[in-house]
Amino acid sequence: MGTRRPAGARLLAAVLAALALFVVSAGLSSAATSQQDLAQAKAKLAELNTRLDALVEQFDAANLQLRAAEGRLADARTAAVLALADAARARALFGERARQAYEGVGSGLDVVLGATTLSEFTDRLEFLNDVAQQDVDAASQADATRLVAERASAVLQQALQDRQVILDTLAARKADIQAAIASQQDLVKRLERELSKQAVARILSLPGPPDPGGPVPTPDPTPPPPPPPNPGADTAVAAARSVIGVPYKWGGDNPQEGFDCSGLTMWAWAQGGVSLPHSSAAQYGAIPHVSKDSLRPGDLLFFYQPISHVGMYVGNNQMIHSTHPGGSVTLDTLGSYWWAVFSGAGRPS
């Protein structure tokens, strides 16, 4: 017959057993919550990253427009200055001709009447007609240059207005980007309190979701044969590999400050001797297109509709790209996600 334990001991054992069951249950519940948080965080951060891709592309495109507008503005200023100078000279000449005509009314008549022969009279009359024509020409020139100056001034004013519109757009895109980054950072900080930093880092490295609402890219009806490989491709790929790990920076285009996606491909291909615009959509429009089956290292891959992301193909079904705020220049495998949002490819030449 076994020894009976005191009631107090049995109660203590029961309490410890219940506590152990609570701890196990709480641990399971916490793990389940963490998995749910991880899934929600992945979706939320992916959505923010996709939105940031689009906003940064709009910012880069507006920067390109600003450079073009600055060029038009400089041309308009030069044209306006030259036109105003021409108009001033023409007005001065016309004023001088008018003064001379006013002071020479009597002397002109004396010149004609002072002729002693018919031939001399005809010559003097023709001379006065030439003088009169010069006065008409001076007046016409003054009027024409005035109109040119007015048109140049109007073009200058329009260039100034265009520039201001673009500056306003840039300011709005910058504010949108900063707000989206702030939302992303708030979410990251909250998750880092609830999950591990490693889990959050994994989420940040993931691409955004495909946009089911965007139009399906239309392939070229009969694409021309791909251009020959660019001899600078190996240099461009090596340059891209050399900056893996450099932080993402929207608007960035150098290893010292960081890169956004098109800033990286622009910089890498500049090392290979090719100049590209700082915009993924503009890069797609600036280079010959190639099919997915014709890809070679150095070719550029474009994603989403409208195009808002670009990476560099480096062979072995891999690309190097600058991901999004919070990420970095990364070597990624081109899995099913990327081909689902693939819009086209091109070969700098």
Side-chain angles (χ1 to χ4, degrees), residues 3 78 89 110 112 120 221 242 246 290 347:
T3 305
T78 300
R89 284 192 295 270
D110 290 342
V112 175
E120 187 180 4
S242 74
V246 170
V290 296
R347 182 168 298 162

Side-chain angles (χ1 to χ4, degrees), residues 82-92 141-142 145-146 149:
L82 293 175
L84 287 171
D86 287 344
R89 284 192 295 270
R91 284 196 304 271
Q141 181 68 13
T145 54
R146 177 184 59 80

Side-chain angles (χ1 to χ4, degrees), residues 51-304:
R51 179 164 177 257
L52 278 167
D53 271 345
L55 288 173
V56 171
E57 171 60 23
Q58 292 168 16
F59 179 85
D60 288 343
N63 256 327
L64 288 178
Q65 294 172 357
L66 179 61
R67 292 191 188 98
E70 295 281 10
R72 291 193 300 271
L73 181 58
D75 291 343
R77 281 185 173 135
T78 300
V81 168
L82 293 175
L84 287 171
D86 287 344
R89 284 192 295 270
R91 284 196 304 271
L93 176 61
F94 177 64
E96 179 62 19
R97 298 298 305 180
R99 183 189 65 79
Q100 292 175 356
Y102 175 77
E103 293 176 351
V105 170
S107 60
L109 186 59
D110 290 342
V111 167
V112 175
L113 296 179
T116 57
T117 65
L118 179 59
S119 175
E120 187 180 4
F121 176 82
T122 303
D123 290 343
R124 293 186 179 190
L125 186 59
E126 185 176 351
F127 169 76
L128 289 178
N129 284 337
D130 288 343
V131 171
Q133 185 59 50
Q134 290 173 13
D135 293 341
V136 171
D137 291 345
S140 298
Q141 181 68 13
D143 190 52
T145 54
R146 177 184 59 80
L147 292 175
V148 170
E150 288 177 355
R151 285 195 295 269
S153 178
V155 170
L156 175 59
Q157 291 303 315
Q158 185 61 53
L160 286 168
Q161 291 175 16
D162 291 346
R163 178 177 179 273
Q164 189 57 52
V165 168
I166 295 170
L167 287 173
D168 291 344
T169 299
L170 279 170
R173 292 293 79 79
K174 184 175 181 179
D176 290 343
I177 291 169
Q178 289 172 334
I181 290 175
S183 298
Q184 183 202 52
Q185 290 175 342
D186 287 345
L187 180 56
V188 167
K189 288 176 183 177
R190 180 170 62 82
L191 288 171
E192 286 178 344
R193 290 194 297 267
E194 299 173 4
L195 307 174
S196 69
K197 287 190 176 183
Q198 290 79 6
V200 177
R202 284 197 300 273
I203 298 169
L204 283 171
S205 69
L206 296 170
D211 180 7
V216 177
T218 304
D220 296 335
T222 309
N230 189 304
D234 289 344
T235 302
V237 170
R241 287 188 182 278
S242 74
V243 293
I244 288 176
V246 170
Y248 181 99
K249 176 178 173 58
W250 59 274
D253 60 4
N254 63 80
Q256 291 73 38
E257 296 181 354
F259 297 100
D260 62 17
C261 64
S262 59
L264 169 65
T265 50
M266 180 182 75
W267 176 84
W269 263 107
Q271 314 313 304
V274 176
S275 176
L276 294 173
H278 192 167
S279 156
S280 55
Q283 287 179 9
Y284 183 72
I287 60 178
H289 298 168
V290 296
S291 68
K292 187 167 71 172
D293 297 333
S294 303
L295 289 174
R296 298 179 66 94
D299 290 349
L300 300 184
L301 307 176
F302 300 89
F303 302 96
Y304 307 118

